[in-house]
Short mmCIF file of all heavy atoms in Angstrom, two decimals:
data_model
loop_
_atom_site.label_atom_id
_atom_site.label_comp_id
_atom_site.label_asym_id
_atom_site.label_seq_id
_atom_site.Cartn_x
_atom_site.Cartn_y
_atom_site.Cartn_z
N MET A 1055 139.06 75.64 73.39
CA MET A 1055 139.63 76.25 74.58
C MET A 1055 139.88 75.15 75.61
O MET A 1055 139.02 74.34 75.89
CB MET A 1055 138.66 77.30 75.13
CG MET A 1055 139.14 77.97 76.37
SD MET A 1055 138.02 79.22 77.06
CE MET A 1055 137.95 80.38 75.73
N GLN A 1056 141.04 75.16 76.18
CA GLN A 1056 141.43 74.18 77.18
C GLN A 1056 140.74 74.47 78.51
O GLN A 1056 140.36 75.61 78.79
CB GLN A 1056 142.95 74.19 77.37
CG GLN A 1056 143.73 73.86 76.12
CD GLN A 1056 143.53 72.40 75.71
OE1 GLN A 1056 143.31 71.54 76.54
NE2 GLN A 1056 143.57 72.16 74.42
N GLY A 1057 140.61 73.44 79.33
CA GLY A 1057 139.96 73.60 80.63
C GLY A 1057 140.62 74.62 81.52
O GLY A 1057 139.96 75.41 82.18
N TYR A 1058 141.97 74.63 81.53
CA TYR A 1058 142.67 75.59 82.39
C TYR A 1058 142.49 77.02 81.89
O TYR A 1058 142.43 77.95 82.68
CB TYR A 1058 144.16 75.24 82.52
CG TYR A 1058 144.95 75.31 81.24
CD1 TYR A 1058 145.58 76.50 80.84
CD2 TYR A 1058 145.09 74.19 80.43
CE1 TYR A 1058 146.30 76.56 79.67
CE2 TYR A 1058 145.81 74.25 79.24
CZ TYR A 1058 146.42 75.44 78.87
OH TYR A 1058 147.13 75.51 77.70
N GLU A 1059 142.38 77.21 80.58
CA GLU A 1059 142.12 78.56 80.03
C GLU A 1059 140.73 79.03 80.44
O GLU A 1059 140.55 80.19 80.81
CB GLU A 1059 142.24 78.55 78.51
CG GLU A 1059 143.65 78.34 78.01
CD GLU A 1059 143.70 78.16 76.50
OE1 GLU A 1059 142.66 77.90 75.88
OE2 GLU A 1059 144.81 78.28 75.95
N ARG A 1060 139.77 78.12 80.39
CA ARG A 1060 138.39 78.46 80.77
C ARG A 1060 138.33 78.81 82.25
O ARG A 1060 137.69 79.79 82.64
CB ARG A 1060 137.47 77.28 80.46
CG ARG A 1060 136.01 77.61 80.63
CD ARG A 1060 135.09 76.48 80.22
NE ARG A 1060 135.30 76.13 78.81
CZ ARG A 1060 135.67 74.92 78.40
NH1 ARG A 1060 135.85 73.94 79.25
NH2 ARG A 1060 135.83 74.67 77.12
N ASP A 1061 139.02 78.03 83.08
CA ASP A 1061 139.04 78.32 84.52
C ASP A 1061 139.68 79.67 84.80
O ASP A 1061 139.20 80.43 85.65
CB ASP A 1061 139.80 77.22 85.27
CG ASP A 1061 139.03 75.91 85.33
OD1 ASP A 1061 137.80 75.92 85.11
OD2 ASP A 1061 139.67 74.88 85.59
N LYS A 1062 140.75 79.98 84.08
CA LYS A 1062 141.42 81.28 84.26
C LYS A 1062 140.48 82.42 83.88
O LYS A 1062 140.37 83.42 84.60
CB LYS A 1062 142.69 81.34 83.42
CG LYS A 1062 143.46 82.63 83.59
CD LYS A 1062 144.73 82.63 82.75
CE LYS A 1062 145.48 83.93 82.98
NZ LYS A 1062 145.59 84.73 81.81
N LEU A 1063 139.77 82.27 82.77
CA LEU A 1063 138.83 83.31 82.34
C LEU A 1063 137.68 83.46 83.34
O LEU A 1063 137.24 84.57 83.61
CB LEU A 1063 138.28 82.98 80.95
CG LEU A 1063 139.27 83.14 79.80
CD1 LEU A 1063 138.66 82.61 78.51
CD2 LEU A 1063 139.68 84.58 79.65
N ARG A 1064 137.21 82.36 83.89
CA ARG A 1064 136.14 82.43 84.90
C ARG A 1064 136.61 83.16 86.15
O ARG A 1064 135.87 83.97 86.72
CB ARG A 1064 135.66 81.03 85.26
CG ARG A 1064 134.79 80.41 84.21
CD ARG A 1064 134.31 79.05 84.63
NE ARG A 1064 133.53 78.47 83.57
CZ ARG A 1064 133.32 77.18 83.42
NH1 ARG A 1064 133.83 76.33 84.28
NH2 ARG A 1064 132.60 76.72 82.42
N ARG A 1065 137.84 82.88 86.58
CA ARG A 1065 138.39 83.58 87.75
C ARG A 1065 138.51 85.08 87.48
O ARG A 1065 138.17 85.90 88.33
CB ARG A 1065 139.74 83.00 88.15
CG ARG A 1065 139.66 81.68 88.91
CD ARG A 1065 140.99 81.29 89.53
NE ARG A 1065 142.08 81.22 88.56
CZ ARG A 1065 142.36 80.16 87.82
NH1 ARG A 1065 141.66 79.06 87.94
NH2 ARG A 1065 143.37 80.18 86.97
N GLU A 1066 138.98 85.43 86.29
CA GLU A 1066 139.10 86.85 85.92
C GLU A 1066 137.73 87.51 85.90
O GLU A 1066 137.57 88.65 86.36
CB GLU A 1066 139.78 86.99 84.57
CG GLU A 1066 141.26 86.65 84.60
CD GLU A 1066 141.89 86.64 83.22
OE1 GLU A 1066 141.21 86.96 82.23
OE2 GLU A 1066 143.09 86.29 83.13
N LEU A 1067 136.73 86.82 85.37
CA LEU A 1067 135.37 87.37 85.34
C LEU A 1067 134.83 87.53 86.75
O LEU A 1067 134.23 88.55 87.07
CB LEU A 1067 134.46 86.46 84.51
CG LEU A 1067 133.01 86.91 84.36
CD1 LEU A 1067 132.94 88.29 83.69
CD2 LEU A 1067 132.23 85.90 83.56
N ASP A 1068 135.06 86.54 87.61
CA ASP A 1068 134.62 86.66 89.00
C ASP A 1068 135.25 87.87 89.68
O ASP A 1068 134.57 88.59 90.41
CB ASP A 1068 134.98 85.39 89.79
CG ASP A 1068 134.03 84.25 89.53
OD1 ASP A 1068 132.92 84.50 89.02
OD2 ASP A 1068 134.41 83.10 89.83
N GLU A 1069 136.53 88.09 89.45
CA GLU A 1069 137.21 89.24 90.03
C GLU A 1069 136.64 90.55 89.49
O GLU A 1069 136.45 91.51 90.23
CB GLU A 1069 138.71 89.17 89.77
CG GLU A 1069 139.41 88.10 90.54
CD GLU A 1069 140.87 87.97 90.17
OE1 GLU A 1069 141.43 88.91 89.56
OE2 GLU A 1069 141.47 86.93 90.50
N ALA A 1070 136.35 90.60 88.19
CA ALA A 1070 135.82 91.81 87.58
C ALA A 1070 134.41 92.11 88.08
O ALA A 1070 134.02 93.27 88.20
CB ALA A 1070 135.83 91.68 86.05
N LEU A 1071 133.65 91.07 88.39
CA LEU A 1071 132.26 91.25 88.81
C LEU A 1071 132.10 91.42 90.32
O LEU A 1071 130.99 91.67 90.80
CB LEU A 1071 131.40 90.09 88.33
CG LEU A 1071 131.19 90.02 86.82
CD1 LEU A 1071 130.40 88.77 86.46
CD2 LEU A 1071 130.49 91.25 86.30
N LEU A 1072 133.18 91.30 91.06
CA LEU A 1072 133.10 91.43 92.51
C LEU A 1072 132.44 92.74 92.96
O LEU A 1072 131.54 92.72 93.79
CB LEU A 1072 134.48 91.27 93.15
CG LEU A 1072 134.50 91.38 94.68
CD1 LEU A 1072 133.62 90.32 95.32
CD2 LEU A 1072 135.92 91.29 95.18
N PRO A 1073 132.82 93.90 92.40
CA PRO A 1073 132.15 95.14 92.82
C PRO A 1073 130.65 95.10 92.57
O PRO A 1073 129.86 95.57 93.38
CB PRO A 1073 132.82 96.23 91.97
CG PRO A 1073 134.14 95.66 91.60
CD PRO A 1073 133.91 94.18 91.46
N LEU A 1074 130.23 94.50 91.45
CA LEU A 1074 128.80 94.40 91.16
C LEU A 1074 128.10 93.54 92.20
O LEU A 1074 127.05 93.90 92.71
CB LEU A 1074 128.59 93.81 89.76
CG LEU A 1074 127.15 93.46 89.40
CD1 LEU A 1074 126.29 94.71 89.37
CD2 LEU A 1074 127.09 92.74 88.07
N ARG A 1075 128.69 92.41 92.54
CA ARG A 1075 128.06 91.53 93.53
C ARG A 1075 127.97 92.22 94.88
O ARG A 1075 126.97 92.07 95.59
CB ARG A 1075 128.84 90.22 93.63
CG ARG A 1075 128.68 89.35 92.41
CD ARG A 1075 129.09 87.92 92.65
NE ARG A 1075 130.38 87.75 93.26
CZ ARG A 1075 131.53 87.61 92.61
NH1 ARG A 1075 131.54 87.62 91.29
NH2 ARG A 1075 132.66 87.46 93.25
N LEU A 1076 128.98 92.98 95.25
CA LEU A 1076 128.96 93.68 96.53
C LEU A 1076 127.87 94.75 96.55
O LEU A 1076 127.16 94.90 97.54
CB LEU A 1076 130.32 94.30 96.82
CG LEU A 1076 131.45 93.31 97.09
CD1 LEU A 1076 132.78 94.06 97.21
CD2 LEU A 1076 131.18 92.48 98.31
N VAL A 1077 127.73 95.49 95.46
CA VAL A 1077 126.68 96.52 95.38
C VAL A 1077 125.31 95.88 95.45
O VAL A 1077 124.43 96.33 96.17
CB VAL A 1077 126.82 97.36 94.09
CG1 VAL A 1077 125.59 98.20 93.85
CG2 VAL A 1077 128.04 98.25 94.18
N ARG A 1078 125.12 94.79 94.71
CA ARG A 1078 123.82 94.12 94.70
C ARG A 1078 123.48 93.59 96.09
O ARG A 1078 122.35 93.67 96.53
CB ARG A 1078 123.78 93.02 93.66
CG ARG A 1078 123.77 93.57 92.25
CD ARG A 1078 123.76 92.49 91.21
NE ARG A 1078 122.66 91.58 91.36
CZ ARG A 1078 121.41 91.83 91.00
NH1 ARG A 1078 121.08 92.98 90.49
NH2 ARG A 1078 120.48 90.91 91.16
N LYS A 1079 124.46 93.06 96.80
CA LYS A 1079 124.22 92.54 98.14
C LYS A 1079 123.86 93.68 99.08
O LYS A 1079 122.93 93.59 99.88
CB LYS A 1079 125.45 91.80 98.65
CG LYS A 1079 125.23 91.14 100.00
CD LYS A 1079 126.48 90.42 100.46
CE LYS A 1079 126.55 89.09 99.74
NZ LYS A 1079 127.61 88.22 100.26
N ARG A 1080 124.59 94.80 98.98
CA ARG A 1080 124.34 95.96 99.84
C ARG A 1080 122.97 96.55 99.59
O ARG A 1080 122.27 96.99 100.49
CB ARG A 1080 125.42 97.00 99.61
CG ARG A 1080 125.35 98.15 100.61
CD ARG A 1080 126.37 99.22 100.32
NE ARG A 1080 125.83 100.06 99.28
CZ ARG A 1080 126.53 100.52 98.26
NH1 ARG A 1080 127.79 100.25 98.13
NH2 ARG A 1080 125.96 101.28 97.34
N LYS A 1081 122.55 96.56 98.32
CA LYS A 1081 121.27 97.16 97.95
C LYS A 1081 120.10 96.20 98.16
O LYS A 1081 118.98 96.53 97.89
CB LYS A 1081 121.29 97.58 96.47
CG LYS A 1081 122.28 98.68 96.17
CD LYS A 1081 121.81 99.98 96.72
CE LYS A 1081 122.78 101.08 96.33
NZ LYS A 1081 122.37 102.35 96.83
N GLY A 1082 120.37 94.97 98.58
CA GLY A 1082 119.29 94.04 98.86
C GLY A 1082 118.95 93.13 97.70
O GLY A 1082 117.88 92.55 97.65
N GLY A 1083 119.85 93.01 96.72
CA GLY A 1083 119.62 92.07 95.62
C GLY A 1083 118.69 92.64 94.57
O GLY A 1083 118.77 93.81 94.22
N GLY A 1084 117.79 91.81 94.08
CA GLY A 1084 116.90 92.25 93.02
C GLY A 1084 117.47 91.93 91.65
O GLY A 1084 118.46 91.22 91.54
N THR A 1085 116.84 92.44 90.63
CA THR A 1085 117.29 92.12 89.28
C THR A 1085 117.61 93.37 88.47
O THR A 1085 117.60 93.33 87.26
CB THR A 1085 116.21 91.30 88.54
OG1 THR A 1085 114.99 92.05 88.54
CG2 THR A 1085 115.98 89.96 89.19
N ALA A 1086 117.87 94.47 89.12
CA ALA A 1086 118.14 95.72 88.41
C ALA A 1086 119.60 95.77 88.00
O ALA A 1086 120.42 96.46 88.61
CB ALA A 1086 117.75 96.92 89.26
N TRP A 1087 119.97 95.03 86.98
CA TRP A 1087 121.36 94.95 86.54
C TRP A 1087 121.90 96.28 86.08
O TRP A 1087 123.01 96.65 86.44
CB TRP A 1087 121.50 93.93 85.41
CG TRP A 1087 121.43 92.54 85.90
CD1 TRP A 1087 120.34 91.71 85.88
CD2 TRP A 1087 122.48 91.80 86.51
NE1 TRP A 1087 120.66 90.51 86.45
CE2 TRP A 1087 121.97 90.53 86.84
CE3 TRP A 1087 123.81 92.09 86.82
CZ2 TRP A 1087 122.75 89.56 87.45
CZ3 TRP A 1087 124.57 91.12 87.42
CH2 TRP A 1087 124.04 89.87 87.73
N LEU A 1088 121.15 97.00 85.27
CA LEU A 1088 121.65 98.28 84.74
C LEU A 1088 122.02 99.22 85.87
O LEU A 1088 123.11 99.78 85.90
CB LEU A 1088 120.62 98.91 83.81
CG LEU A 1088 120.99 100.28 83.24
CD1 LEU A 1088 122.28 100.21 82.44
CD2 LEU A 1088 119.85 100.81 82.37
N LYS A 1089 121.13 99.38 86.82
CA LYS A 1089 121.39 100.29 87.94
C LYS A 1089 122.55 99.79 88.80
O LYS A 1089 123.41 100.57 89.21
CB LYS A 1089 120.14 100.46 88.79
CG LYS A 1089 120.30 101.51 89.87
CD LYS A 1089 118.98 101.77 90.57
CE LYS A 1089 119.12 102.90 91.56
NZ LYS A 1089 117.83 103.22 92.18
N SER A 1090 122.59 98.49 89.05
CA SER A 1090 123.66 97.92 89.87
C SER A 1090 125.02 98.12 89.21
O SER A 1090 125.99 98.52 89.87
CB SER A 1090 123.43 96.43 90.10
OG SER A 1090 122.27 96.24 90.86
N ILE A 1091 125.10 97.86 87.93
CA ILE A 1091 126.36 98.04 87.21
C ILE A 1091 126.74 99.52 87.17
O ILE A 1091 127.89 99.88 87.41
CB ILE A 1091 126.27 97.46 85.79
CG1 ILE A 1091 126.15 95.93 85.87
CG2 ILE A 1091 127.46 97.88 84.94
CD1 ILE A 1091 125.81 95.27 84.57
N ARG A 1092 125.76 100.37 86.87
CA ARG A 1092 126.02 101.80 86.82
C ARG A 1092 126.56 102.31 88.16
O ARG A 1092 127.55 103.04 88.20
CB ARG A 1092 124.72 102.54 86.47
CG ARG A 1092 124.86 104.04 86.37
CD ARG A 1092 123.58 104.71 85.96
NE ARG A 1092 122.48 104.55 86.89
CZ ARG A 1092 122.38 105.18 88.05
NH1 ARG A 1092 123.31 106.02 88.44
NH2 ARG A 1092 121.34 104.99 88.84
N GLN A 1093 125.96 101.87 89.25
CA GLN A 1093 126.42 102.30 90.57
C GLN A 1093 127.77 101.70 90.91
O GLN A 1093 128.61 102.36 91.53
CB GLN A 1093 125.39 101.94 91.63
CG GLN A 1093 124.13 102.75 91.52
CD GLN A 1093 123.06 102.33 92.51
OE1 GLN A 1093 123.05 101.19 92.97
NE2 GLN A 1093 122.16 103.24 92.83
N ALA A 1094 128.00 100.45 90.52
CA ALA A 1094 129.26 99.78 90.84
C ALA A 1094 130.45 100.47 90.18
O ALA A 1094 131.53 100.55 90.77
CB ALA A 1094 129.21 98.32 90.41
N VAL A 1095 130.25 100.98 88.97
CA VAL A 1095 131.37 101.64 88.28
C VAL A 1095 131.34 103.15 88.48
O VAL A 1095 132.23 103.84 88.01
CB VAL A 1095 131.41 101.29 86.77
CG1 VAL A 1095 131.64 99.82 86.57
CG2 VAL A 1095 130.16 101.74 86.06
N GLY A 1096 130.32 103.64 89.17
CA GLY A 1096 130.26 105.06 89.50
C GLY A 1096 129.85 105.98 88.37
O GLY A 1096 130.30 107.13 88.33
N LEU A 1097 129.04 105.48 87.45
CA LEU A 1097 128.58 106.32 86.34
C LEU A 1097 127.26 106.99 86.68
O LEU A 1097 126.31 106.32 87.09
CB LEU A 1097 128.36 105.47 85.07
CG LEU A 1097 129.59 105.08 84.28
CD1 LEU A 1097 129.19 104.15 83.15
CD2 LEU A 1097 130.30 106.29 83.74
N PRO A 1098 127.17 108.29 86.51
CA PRO A 1098 125.89 108.96 86.72
C PRO A 1098 124.92 108.63 85.59
O PRO A 1098 125.32 108.23 84.50
CB PRO A 1098 126.24 110.45 86.73
CG PRO A 1098 127.58 110.55 86.08
CD PRO A 1098 128.25 109.23 86.22
N VAL A 1099 123.65 108.80 85.85
CA VAL A 1099 122.61 108.51 84.86
C VAL A 1099 122.86 109.29 83.57
O VAL A 1099 122.71 108.74 82.47
CB VAL A 1099 121.21 108.83 85.43
CG1 VAL A 1099 120.14 108.71 84.36
CG2 VAL A 1099 120.89 107.92 86.60
N ASP A 1100 123.25 110.54 83.69
CA ASP A 1100 123.48 111.36 82.50
C ASP A 1100 124.55 110.78 81.59
O ASP A 1100 124.43 110.81 80.37
CB ASP A 1100 123.86 112.80 82.89
CG ASP A 1100 122.71 113.54 83.54
OD1 ASP A 1100 121.54 113.25 83.18
OD2 ASP A 1100 122.96 114.40 84.38
N GLU A 1101 125.61 110.23 82.19
CA GLU A 1101 126.69 109.65 81.39
C GLU A 1101 126.23 108.37 80.70
O GLU A 1101 126.55 108.14 79.54
CB GLU A 1101 127.91 109.37 82.28
CG GLU A 1101 129.07 108.74 81.56
CD GLU A 1101 129.68 109.63 80.48
OE1 GLU A 1101 129.41 110.84 80.45
OE2 GLU A 1101 130.44 109.09 79.65
N VAL A 1102 125.47 107.53 81.41
CA VAL A 1102 124.95 106.31 80.79
C VAL A 1102 124.02 106.68 79.63
O VAL A 1102 124.10 106.09 78.54
CB VAL A 1102 124.21 105.44 81.83
CG1 VAL A 1102 123.52 104.25 81.16
CG2 VAL A 1102 125.16 104.96 82.90
N ALA A 1103 123.18 107.67 79.84
CA ALA A 1103 122.26 108.09 78.79
C ALA A 1103 123.04 108.61 77.58
O ALA A 1103 122.70 108.28 76.43
CB ALA A 1103 121.33 109.18 79.32
N ARG A 1104 124.07 109.39 77.82
CA ARG A 1104 124.86 109.91 76.71
C ARG A 1104 125.50 108.78 75.92
O ARG A 1104 125.45 108.76 74.69
CB ARG A 1104 125.96 110.85 77.24
CG ARG A 1104 126.76 111.54 76.12
CD ARG A 1104 127.95 112.30 76.68
NE ARG A 1104 128.97 111.45 77.25
CZ ARG A 1104 129.85 110.73 76.53
NH1 ARG A 1104 129.81 110.74 75.22
NH2 ARG A 1104 130.77 109.99 77.15
N ARG A 1105 126.06 107.81 76.62
CA ARG A 1105 126.72 106.69 75.95
C ARG A 1105 125.73 105.80 75.20
O ARG A 1105 126.08 105.19 74.20
CB ARG A 1105 127.50 105.85 76.96
CG ARG A 1105 128.71 106.58 77.51
CD ARG A 1105 129.46 105.73 78.49
NE ARG A 1105 130.56 106.47 79.08
CZ ARG A 1105 131.64 105.89 79.58
NH1 ARG A 1105 131.75 104.58 79.59
NH2 ARG A 1105 132.59 106.62 80.10
N MET A 1106 124.51 105.72 75.71
CA MET A 1106 123.49 104.91 75.03
C MET A 1106 122.79 105.68 73.92
O MET A 1106 122.08 105.09 73.12
CB MET A 1106 122.44 104.43 76.05
CG MET A 1106 122.97 103.41 77.03
SD MET A 1106 121.76 102.95 78.29
CE MET A 1106 120.54 102.12 77.32
N GLY A 1107 122.95 107.00 73.93
CA GLY A 1107 122.29 107.82 72.92
C GLY A 1107 120.81 108.03 73.19
O GLY A 1107 120.01 108.15 72.27
N VAL A 1108 120.46 108.06 74.48
CA VAL A 1108 119.06 108.28 74.87
C VAL A 1108 119.01 109.39 75.92
O VAL A 1108 120.05 109.84 76.41
CB VAL A 1108 118.43 106.99 75.45
CG1 VAL A 1108 118.42 105.87 74.41
CG2 VAL A 1108 119.14 106.53 76.71
N CYS A 1109 117.81 109.83 76.27
CA CYS A 1109 117.68 110.84 77.33
C CYS A 1109 117.76 110.15 78.69
O CYS A 1109 117.59 108.93 78.82
CB CYS A 1109 116.38 111.62 77.18
SG CYS A 1109 114.91 110.65 77.50
N ARG A 1110 118.04 110.93 79.71
CA ARG A 1110 118.21 110.37 81.05
C ARG A 1110 116.94 109.69 81.56
O ARG A 1110 117.00 108.75 82.33
CB ARG A 1110 118.69 111.45 82.03
CG ARG A 1110 117.69 112.54 82.31
CD ARG A 1110 118.26 113.69 83.14
NE ARG A 1110 119.15 113.31 84.20
CZ ARG A 1110 118.77 113.12 85.46
NH1 ARG A 1110 117.53 113.31 85.81
NH2 ARG A 1110 119.65 112.76 86.37
N TRP A 1111 115.78 110.15 81.11
CA TRP A 1111 114.53 109.53 81.55
C TRP A 1111 114.39 108.11 81.02
O TRP A 1111 113.78 107.25 81.65
CB TRP A 1111 113.33 110.38 81.14
CG TRP A 1111 113.42 111.75 81.74
CD1 TRP A 1111 113.64 112.92 81.10
CD2 TRP A 1111 113.36 112.07 83.13
NE1 TRP A 1111 113.73 113.96 82.00
CE2 TRP A 1111 113.55 113.46 83.25
CE3 TRP A 1111 113.18 111.32 84.29
CZ2 TRP A 1111 113.54 114.10 84.48
CZ3 TRP A 1111 113.18 111.98 85.51
CH2 TRP A 1111 113.36 113.36 85.59
N GLU A 1112 114.98 107.85 79.86
CA GLU A 1112 114.96 106.50 79.31
C GLU A 1112 115.79 105.55 80.19
O GLU A 1112 115.39 104.41 80.41
CB GLU A 1112 115.50 106.50 77.88
CG GLU A 1112 115.44 105.15 77.20
CD GLU A 1112 114.03 104.65 76.94
OE1 GLU A 1112 113.07 105.44 77.03
OE2 GLU A 1112 113.89 103.46 76.63
N VAL A 1113 116.90 106.03 80.71
CA VAL A 1113 117.71 105.21 81.60
C VAL A 1113 116.91 104.92 82.88
O VAL A 1113 116.87 103.77 83.34
CB VAL A 1113 119.06 105.89 81.93
CG1 VAL A 1113 119.83 105.10 82.97
CG2 VAL A 1113 119.87 106.08 80.67
N HIS A 1114 116.26 105.92 83.43
CA HIS A 1114 115.42 105.71 84.61
C HIS A 1114 114.31 104.71 84.30
O HIS A 1114 114.00 103.84 85.12
CB HIS A 1114 114.81 107.02 85.10
CG HIS A 1114 115.77 107.89 85.83
ND1 HIS A 1114 116.36 107.54 87.02
CD2 HIS A 1114 116.26 109.11 85.52
CE1 HIS A 1114 117.15 108.50 87.43
NE2 HIS A 1114 117.12 109.47 86.53
N ARG A 1115 113.70 104.84 83.13
CA ARG A 1115 112.62 103.94 82.74
C ARG A 1115 113.14 102.49 82.64
O ARG A 1115 112.49 101.56 83.12
CB ARG A 1115 112.01 104.36 81.41
CG ARG A 1115 110.75 103.58 81.05
CD ARG A 1115 110.31 103.84 79.62
NE ARG A 1115 111.25 103.30 78.66
CZ ARG A 1115 111.37 101.99 78.36
NH1 ARG A 1115 110.63 101.10 78.96
NH2 ARG A 1115 112.24 101.59 77.46
N LEU A 1116 114.32 102.32 82.05
CA LEU A 1116 114.90 100.99 81.94
C LEU A 1116 115.21 100.39 83.31
O LEU A 1116 114.93 99.22 83.56
CB LEU A 1116 116.17 101.04 81.09
CG LEU A 1116 115.98 101.28 79.60
CD1 LEU A 1116 117.32 101.59 78.94
CD2 LEU A 1116 115.33 100.08 78.95
N GLU A 1117 115.78 101.20 84.18
CA GLU A 1117 116.10 100.72 85.52
C GLU A 1117 114.83 100.33 86.28
O GLU A 1117 114.78 99.30 86.95
CB GLU A 1117 116.89 101.77 86.30
CG GLU A 1117 118.29 101.98 85.78
CD GLU A 1117 119.05 103.05 86.51
OE1 GLU A 1117 118.48 103.76 87.37
OE2 GLU A 1117 120.26 103.19 86.23
N GLU A 1118 113.81 101.14 86.17
CA GLU A 1118 112.55 100.86 86.84
C GLU A 1118 111.88 99.62 86.26
O GLU A 1118 111.32 98.80 86.97
CB GLU A 1118 111.62 102.07 86.73
CG GLU A 1118 110.49 102.10 87.71
CD GLU A 1118 110.93 102.13 89.17
OE1 GLU A 1118 112.01 102.68 89.49
OE2 GLU A 1118 110.18 101.61 89.99
N SER A 1119 111.96 99.48 84.95
CA SER A 1119 111.38 98.32 84.27
C SER A 1119 112.05 97.03 84.74
O SER A 1119 111.40 96.02 84.98
CB SER A 1119 111.52 98.48 82.77
OG SER A 1119 111.07 97.34 82.10
N GLU A 1120 113.38 97.07 84.86
CA GLU A 1120 114.11 95.90 85.36
C GLU A 1120 113.67 95.54 86.78
O GLU A 1120 113.48 94.36 87.09
CB GLU A 1120 115.61 96.17 85.38
CG GLU A 1120 116.31 95.94 84.10
CD GLU A 1120 117.80 96.05 84.27
OE1 GLU A 1120 118.27 96.99 84.93
OE2 GLU A 1120 118.49 95.17 83.74
N LYS A 1121 113.52 96.55 87.59
CA LYS A 1121 113.15 96.33 89.00
C LYS A 1121 111.76 95.71 89.11
O LYS A 1121 111.53 94.85 89.94
CB LYS A 1121 113.20 97.65 89.76
CG LYS A 1121 113.00 97.50 91.25
CD LYS A 1121 113.24 98.80 91.97
CE LYS A 1121 112.03 99.70 91.81
NZ LYS A 1121 112.10 100.92 92.62
N ASN A 1122 110.84 96.12 88.24
CA ASN A 1122 109.45 95.69 88.32
C ASN A 1122 109.11 94.44 87.51
O ASN A 1122 108.05 93.87 87.71
CB ASN A 1122 108.52 96.82 87.90
CG ASN A 1122 108.60 98.00 88.83
OD1 ASN A 1122 108.81 97.83 90.04
ND2 ASN A 1122 108.46 99.20 88.31
N SER A 1123 109.99 94.06 86.62
CA SER A 1123 109.65 92.93 85.74
C SER A 1123 110.19 91.62 86.25
O SER A 1123 111.22 91.49 86.76
CB SER A 1123 110.22 93.16 84.34
OG SER A 1123 109.60 94.28 83.76
#
């Protein structure tokens, strides 16, 4: 991969992640990626659980685990 292609991909990734960075900044940072991403794209816990094939409590457990670990 050429340097200019890599730079272009990095810029695209930065643009795609901007909503996540804004949510994380607003929420005070931390390391709860799952919750931050879920909130940034507007997915309810039930939808994330359905897509992961787990119950909603598992999603809450994962989010809490990220926050505490």
Side-chain angles (χ1 to χ4, degrees):
M1055 179 180 298
Q1056 300 292 329
Y1058 64 90
E1059 291 173 344
R1060 188 175 301 121
D1061 289 342
K1062 182 179 181 243
L1063 289 172
R1064 285 182 183 158
R1065 282 192 304 274
E1066 289 173 4
L1067 181 60
D1068 281 343
E1069 289 175 17
L1071 292 176
L1072 180 60
L1074 172 64
R1075 289 197 310 269
L1076 292 174
V1077 167
R1078 290 179 56 77
K1079 185 179 281 189
R1080 188 184 81 222
K1081 296 287 184 180
T1085 57
W1087 285 99
L1088 177 59
K1089 186 172 185 176
S1090 295
I1091 292 169
R1092 181 177 63 75
Q1093 290 176 336
V1095 297
L1097 282 175
V1099 172
D1100 292 329
E1101 179 64 15
V1102 173
R1104 185 188 67 76
R1105 291 180 184 205
M1106 291 176 66
V1108 299
C1109 68
R1110 67 188 320 265
W1111 300 112
E1112 183 67 14
V1113 175
H1114 284 296
R1115 189 191 67 75
L1116 288 168
E1117 291 178 353
E1118 198 61 30
S1119 175
E1120 276 188 315
K1121 187 172 78 172
N1122 296 326
S1123 295

